[in-house]
Amino acid sequence: MSEIKNDYLWWQTGVVYQIYPRSFQDSNGDGIGDLQGILKRLDYLQWMGVDAVWISPIYPSPMADFGYDISDYTGIHPLFGSLDDFDRLIQEVHARKMKLILDLVPNHTSDQHPWFLESRSSRDNPKRDWYIWKNPRPDGGLPNNWLSVFGGSGWEWDEKTEQYYYHAFLKEQPDLNWRHPEVQQAMLNVMRFWLDRGVDGFRIDVMWHMIKDLQLRDNPVNPDYQNHMATYEQLLPVYSTDQPEVHEIVQKMRKLLDSYTDRMMIGEIYLPIHKLVTYYGIDGKGAHLPFNFQLISLPWEAKVIAAAIDQYEGALPANGWPNWVLGNHDQPRITSRVGIQQARVAAMLLLTLRGTPTIYYGDEIGMRDVPIPFQEVQDPQGLNMPDKNLSRDPARTPMQWDASLQAGFTEGKPWLRLDRAFQRTNVQLQKEDPYSMLLLYKRLIDLRHNEPSLTVGDYTPVCSDNQMLAFTRQAEGHPKFLIILNLSHRPCYFKPSTLTFTGTVVLATSPELEGSVVDESISLSGDEGVIIRITDTRL
Ligand code: GLC
């Protein structure tokens, strides 16, 4: 690899892979994935070309929200293993030249966290103001109209101390009061604990929620609300999220990270682009990567996606490094959103765009959302709004490793049912099949790693229409690549008036196209994408 890559940091040139630990690999037969299981699969991740692993929360937790309700920030839940296992994991990840990113949930704790137990014990407890406590309105009503993301009011009445506390998510997840200096210090200490242990970065949960309006004003009504939407969307969270003061907090976290070598943070932020980019911070002293969820949130239409890429590229601050995400544990899987054939095109898009790609476990073998019968639903979001089909369980099912009993995930009974098609869709089979999704992912990653133009090169849009989008990537002094993606199921024809070129197809979603020479134009089948190395550009 040429020197040009040396000018960039690992989180800029690398590929991130998200593991949902409950569902990745069980090692002790209890049906729930664990750290030993992850250890066992590190070679697989290395083989695939993954550079950094982000693991969803593994801390002690009553599991009301499957680990996003933390009762001890500096421990490991026995379900997942021990601190010793964790130290081994870091060691083994680093031995493979990979990085480890921890999920940090600073917005709220579990209601079983000792901080909250103290806070709720009496009104004059020193930790009372570590959380957001409020009296009822004079008429006895709720302090304001804020709603919980998981349904119902955001306020919960505490009988004993006769006040409400605020929870943006479950009532078992009380929000911390980030305006309190001691809360800030306590959480920065948590970060220090893990940084000292060697973690390379954090994915900060719901970063845009961390500070609320000082006056706790009512949120306005959402005029575009429709019945199929989550009840939370009845209001626009104008005063409960994305407050200007959040940036001071992010800056403090950044400052701490910068006092260590080569550490980073990703911010989980669901906001429109113009607001999202403010999380890079003034002078780039905010989040390294505010997660860009456009490929998850937007309709899968070539023109829409092409415009969104350009808008995002245009909105990035100087030195702001882009990133792209196709799926995570909160969203339907890409295969279920666009179909298995189109998911190949999506993979090519993710891994050829400029910016750090994040792959959600299982997407690399085309895992799909698994229908979970009503009586088996576990996700609180699904349970609380049963008529809206909002359960996140379908995208959290066990990883499909092989065709053996329980897909090689566990020797016991998996905590969530497996896709019944696992005997046809699994890692072992796909490793041997040159046409598989897995090998497509692996080859895309390899190409990305080997070609500076794809790792760090400029992005230039070429054209888009109702079916396809095309762009080029080039790093100075390196070959230029033209990427053409057919986002529709019908054939499409690429003959741009703006670009005259000759090139060779180096990678295609249909490998039959590889090696063919392209001169000026190319026709693609439905659901097809190609990466062309340009050999001659006229004009
Ligand atoms: C984030 C997590 C999600 C969790 C929520 C509350 O959005 O990704 O899984 O339920 O925060 O912590």
Side-chain angles (χ1 to χ4, degrees):
M1 179 79 199
S2 84
E3 305 74 50
I4 189 168
K5 253 181 88 172
N6 298 338
D7 298 341
Y8 294 83
L9 298 164
W10 64 267
W11 50 268
Q12 297 177 303
T13 55
V15 171
V16 179
Y17 185 91
Q18 180 190 357
I19 289 181
Y20 194 67
R22 285 184 83 82
S23 296
F24 198 58
Q25 177 67 59
D26 179 21
S27 73
N28 61 0
D30 67 358
I32 297 177
D34 46 42
L35 296 184
Q36 289 287 349
I38 297 176
L39 271 160
K40 190 173 141 198
R41 297 299 184 178
L42 288 181
D43 288 341
Y44 163 72
L45 297 179
Q46 189 181 28
W47 167 82
M48 208 170 93
V50 166
D51 301 281
V53 181
W54 148 35
I55 43 179
S56 283
I58 46 172
Y59 314 96
S61 158
M63 296 284 171
D65 188 22
F66 294 108
Y68 284 92
D69 50 322
I70 297 170
S71 52
D72 173 6
Y73 284 90
T74 54
I76 302 291
H77 196 301
L79 271 176
F80 297 124
S82 64
L83 267 177
D84 283 347
D85 295 330
F86 183 79
D87 288 341
R88 243 200 85 211
L89 182 64
I90 296 201
Q91 215 183 341
E92 292 296 319
V93 166
H94 287 167
R96 287 167 181 76
K97 304 253 172 321
M98 298 193 285
K99 305 283 184 181
L100 190 70
I101 301 171
L102 269 196
D103 212 311
L104 186 75
V105 188
N107 177 70
H108 46 268
T109 68
S110 158
D111 65 345
Q112 300 306 309
H113 194 292
W115 298 341
F116 188 69
L117 294 179
E118 275 194 51
S119 180
R120 80 181 314 172
S121 66
S122 78
R123 284 203 193 188
D124 52 16
N125 182 279
K127 290 209 171 54
R128 184 67 172 179
D129 293 336
W130 280 39
Y131 293 83
I132 302 169
W133 290 98
K134 259 320 231 191
N135 287 326
R137 283 193 171 159
D139 64 1
L142 297 165
N144 67 20
N145 69 352
W146 295 1
L147 297 171
S148 154
V149 174
F150 291 150
S153 165
W155 295 98
E156 180 70 12
W157 179 247
D158 180 59
E159 281 296 343
K160 184 168 170 218
T161 56
E162 299 195 316
Q163 276 189 318
Y164 286 98
Y165 66 86
Y166 175 64
H167 56 92
F169 296 88
L170 295 175
K171 68 176 175 7
E172 292 84 1
Q173 295 167 295
D175 279 46
L176 282 161
N177 171 17
W178 268 88
R179 293 180 185 274
H180 200 306
E182 287 172 19
V183 168
Q184 300 184 9
Q185 270 322 310
M187 203 55 78
L188 290 172
N189 284 341
V190 167
M191 292 175 76
R192 275 190 199 98
F193 175 88
W194 294 108
L195 290 167
D196 290 341
R197 270 198 130 76
V199 309
D200 300 288
F202 296 101
R203 173 264 190 194
I204 311 281
D205 192 67
V206 295
M207 184 180 262
W208 83 116
H209 272 262
M210 283 199 306
I211 286 223
K212 344 294 170 193
D213 176 44
L214 192 55
Q215 301 170 52
L216 303 179
R217 279 169 280 190
D218 274 352
N219 280 326
V221 166
N222 176 7
D224 299 322
Y225 181 74
Q226 290 171 26
N227 262 334
H228 65 86
M229 295 160 121
T231 49
Y232 176 72
E233 297 191 49
Q234 288 167 348
L235 304 179
L236 298 169
V238 172
Y239 293 110
S240 49
T241 62
D242 192 33
Q243 299 302 295
E245 299 95 318
V246 72
H247 297 291
E248 290 163 31
I249 305 300
V250 178
Q251 220 173 49
K252 285 183 187 170
M253 292 177 160
R254 172 63 181 261
K255 205 167 155 211
L256 174 65
L257 289 162
D258 284 350
S259 69
Y260 291 76
T261 317
D262 248 9
R263 314 298 169 97
M264 59 86 79
M265 76 177 144
I266 302 174
E268 187 209 16
I269 302 153
Y270 284 90
L271 284 175
I273 293 308
H274 65 284
K275 291 189 175 169
L276 177 73
V277 293
T278 63
Y279 285 76
Y280 283 101
I282 293 169
D283 295 332
K285 288 293 175 203
H288 298 78
L289 300 177
F291 256 151
N292 164 18
F293 292 128
Q294 291 188 98
L295 297 182
I296 289 181
S297 317
L298 292 173
W300 200 256
E301 292 166 20
K303 270 193 167 161
V304 175
I305 301 274
I309 300 167
D310 294 351
Q311 193 204 351
Y312 179 61
E313 280 278 349
L316 286 169
N319 300 322
W321 187 254
N323 76 90
W324 297 93
V325 187
L326 264 188
N328 61 37
H329 63 295
D330 296 325
Q331 306 291 341
R333 284 189 181 272
I334 184 71
T335 301
S336 292
R337 287 191 282 126
V338 304
I340 185 70
Q341 287 308 322
Q342 187 57 219
R344 297 172 71 87
V345 178
M348 187 169 276
L349 177 63
L350 175 73
L351 291 161
T352 53
L353 280 171
R354 190 175 82 93
T356 309
T358 298
I359 299 169
Y360 182 49
Y361 88 94
D363 281 356
E364 77 272 24
I365 55 168
M367 276 173 63
R368 56 182 179 175
D369 286 357
V370 177
I372 306 295
F374 278 122
Q375 62 281 8
E376 292 175 25
V377 173
Q378 313 224 22
D379 175 29
Q381 178 167 283
L383 292 169
N384 289 358
M385 292 173 274
D387 46 340
K388 303 210 177 205
N389 197 7
L390 290 174
S391 167
R392 297 168 295 179
D393 292 338
R396 296 175 173 181
T397 58
M399 180 70 176
Q400 297 153 210
W401 294 105
D402 55 43
S404 70
L405 205 63
Q406 313 297 10
F409 164 69
T410 180
E411 308 212 316
K413 181 177 183 293
W415 73 282
L416 200 59
R417 64 165 60 203
L418 277 152
D419 187 341
R420 52 175 98 86
F422 75 84
Q423 283 172 326
R424 283 185 282 125
T425 305
N426 62 57
V427 170
Q428 197 181 41
L429 271 184
Q430 292 200 11
K431 258 188 158 175
E432 309 302 321
D433 173 5
Y435 299 105
S436 69
M437 183 77 87
L438 181 56
L439 285 199
L440 176 65
Y441 263 89
K442 178 173 164 44
R443 296 175 65 230
L444 282 166
I445 295 173
D446 285 348
L447 185 68
R448 185 180 174 97
H449 281 149
N450 291 329
E451 296 291 347
S453 290
L454 292 174
T455 326
V456 296
D458 290 343
Y459 160 89
T460 310
V462 172
C463 61
S464 67
D465 63 22
N466 288 336
Q467 292 181 273
M468 56 113 216
L469 63 93
F471 56 90
T472 60
R473 298 287 314 281
Q474 183 167 34
E476 218 185 308
H478 293 274
K480 184 189 239 179
F481 288 87
L482 168 65
I483 294 100
I484 311 170
L485 303 168
N486 183 355
L487 266 62
S488 78
H489 306 307
R490 297 178 51 237
C492 75
Y493 305 90
F494 176 80
K495 192 177 186 334
S497 50
T498 48
L499 188 77
T500 328
F501 68 95
T502 309
T504 309
V505 176
V506 289
L507 214 163
T509 54
S510 317
E512 294 78 9
L513 282 172
E514 288 168 14
S516 50
V517 173
V518 186
D519 196 12
E520 308 285 300
S521 71
I522 184 169
S523 47
L524 294 178
S525 303
D527 301 313
E528 206 159 64
V530 287
I531 304 177
I532 299 168
R533 182 186 280 115
I534 302 290
T535 45
D536 170 28
T537 316
R538 283 146 271 148
L539 262 181

